[in-house]
Every structure is written in C-alpha cells, then in structure tokens.
Amino acid sequence: METMNLNAIAKEINDNAVAHGWWEGGRNTAQIRALIHSEWSEALEEYRAGKPMDYRVCSNCKAPCMKEGCGDYESGECKLNEMEHKPEGIAVELVDGCIRILDYLAHDGFVFAEEIDDLDKLMKVCETLLAEPLTIHPKDSSLPELVDALHFYTAESSLEEYGNNALAEAVGLACLWIRERGLDPAQIMREKHEYNKSRSYKHGGKVC
C-alpha cells in the first residue's frame, strides 16, 4: 500500500483549495465541521444506494462505462483517461471527509507529530484507541456504525480539550475502515486529490 506523509499531503490539499478559491474571505470552524459532516453523510447515501466502494462514472452512461454503444466505450473499456472521470463510491466519500479535514488542519497550522506524521502510523495509533468508549472496530463495524463514530469525532473537535486531535483521529478511523475492506486509502486520497486539482474554480460556482 502507498505510504503518505500527512503533513505533505495536507499542504498540497490546502494549496489546491486556496488556488480554487475556497478560502477567499475565510471560513469559520462551524462551517468547516458542517462540510466534514456532509461528506460522512454522503458516504452513507452511497451505502444506502448500494453503490460500490470505489468506481468511476462515465459522462455518457452516468454509470461505470463498460457497455457497447456508449460514446466513451472502445475495445472493451472506456477510452477516456481514468482521471477524466470523477472518483465515486463509499470509500471515496469517506476520503473526501479526510481531505476536508487535512485542508482545514493545514490551514489552521496543525502539524502531525512524528509518531503520527504518516498515514500508516496514524492508523496504528488509532488501533490502540479502539477499546475506549464510543469507538468502533473497523474490521467488524458496518458503514452506518462508522459514520456514527465519525460524526461523533467531528463534533468532539469543537471541544477545547479535543480540538484538532479529534479530527486527526477521524482520518485514522476512516482510513482504517477502508483498509480493512482491502482498499488502499492513501491511493484513493491521491487519486481524488489529483482529480480535484483538475476541477474548475470553486467547482463551477459552489458557495462553500
């Protein structure tokens, strides 16, 4: 699985968010937390709709492009480059929440300490916290149980005694859950970040 330095990727993500106008005029922490909550809920909506963990939607088919007659279909596969398709799926929405957290942490000046400055290190530290109340076991927990815990950690970040550390734990927990399902959260995050870099200014006019 891909290694990922969290301080480095957080800076990349924040630099891209700034370049796309998302920090113009500033953002308050309530807005940031609300946007993070929205990503966890979007993962739940993908789950409810029976969608896969990670897939690409064809611009013509409005579904994974693997059928004849589609303008993007050629010789058994989609002829468009994979990065021209928006990454979608349960795992991708969870990673979107992580991306929003890393953007905020970098903008806020938060630095991951050496013992958790790599995604693998962070996930290992989070594994040691699973015996505490209101935590879950990523291997056995369902997506709704995970989302419930992620909402809790996100809300907990508003408390001074937890703050940004709760958000960092949410990243580790979401990525642990993804890894337990045989996917590489670092790879998914890199792919979604690269896609985000290609998007239009404020993604075509979104207000937040």
Side-chain angles (χ1 to χ4, degrees), residues 4-8 111-122:
M4 175 171 282
N5 181 278
L6 290 171
N7 290 317
V111 176
F112 287 89
E114 184 177 355
E115 60 269 21
I116 57 169
D117 65 357
D118 178 88
L119 183 56
D120 285 337
K121 293 180 185 178
L122 177 62

Side-chain angles (χ1 to χ4, degrees), residues 77-155:
E77 62 182 19
C78 182
K79 67 184 179 183
L80 295 180
N81 184 287
E82 185 176 88
M83 290 314 300
E84 293 180 270
H85 294 301
K86 181 182 179 182
E88 302 274 10
I90 295 168
V92 175
E93 297 298 346
L94 293 174
V95 162
D96 276 341
C98 296
I99 286 173
R100 286 199 181 275
I101 288 173
L102 293 173
D103 173 33
Y104 168 70
L105 292 180
H107 205 82
D108 198 47
F110 180 87
V111 176
F112 287 89
E114 184 177 355
E115 60 269 21
I116 57 169
D117 65 357
D118 178 88
L119 183 56
D120 285 337
K121 293 180 185 178
L122 177 62
M123 288 191 288
K124 287 179 182 177
V125 168
C126 285
E127 282 180 309
T128 68
L129 303 175
L130 296 179
E132 295 186 4
L134 294 174
T135 55
I136 64 169
H137 296 274
K139 184 176 181 179
D140 303 318
S141 298
S142 67
L143 189 278
E145 289 171 323
L146 172 70
V147 168
D148 181 45
L150 292 173
H151 281 304
F152 171 77
Y153 278 113
T154 303

Side-chain angles (χ1 to χ4, degrees), residues 28-38 154-158 167:
N28 61 53
T29 54
Q31 182 186 50
I32 293 297
R33 283 194 298 273
L35 290 168
I36 295 167
H37 281 299
S38 74
T154 303
E156 191 178 49
S157 70
S158 66
L167 293 177

Side-chain angles (χ1 to χ4, degrees), residues 60-74 76-77:
N60 289 322
C61 298
K62 306 303 180 186
C65 177
M66 286 299 294
K67 58 185 180 181
E68 297 180 15
C70 170
D72 291 337
Y73 185 89
E74 189 174 83
E77 62 182 19

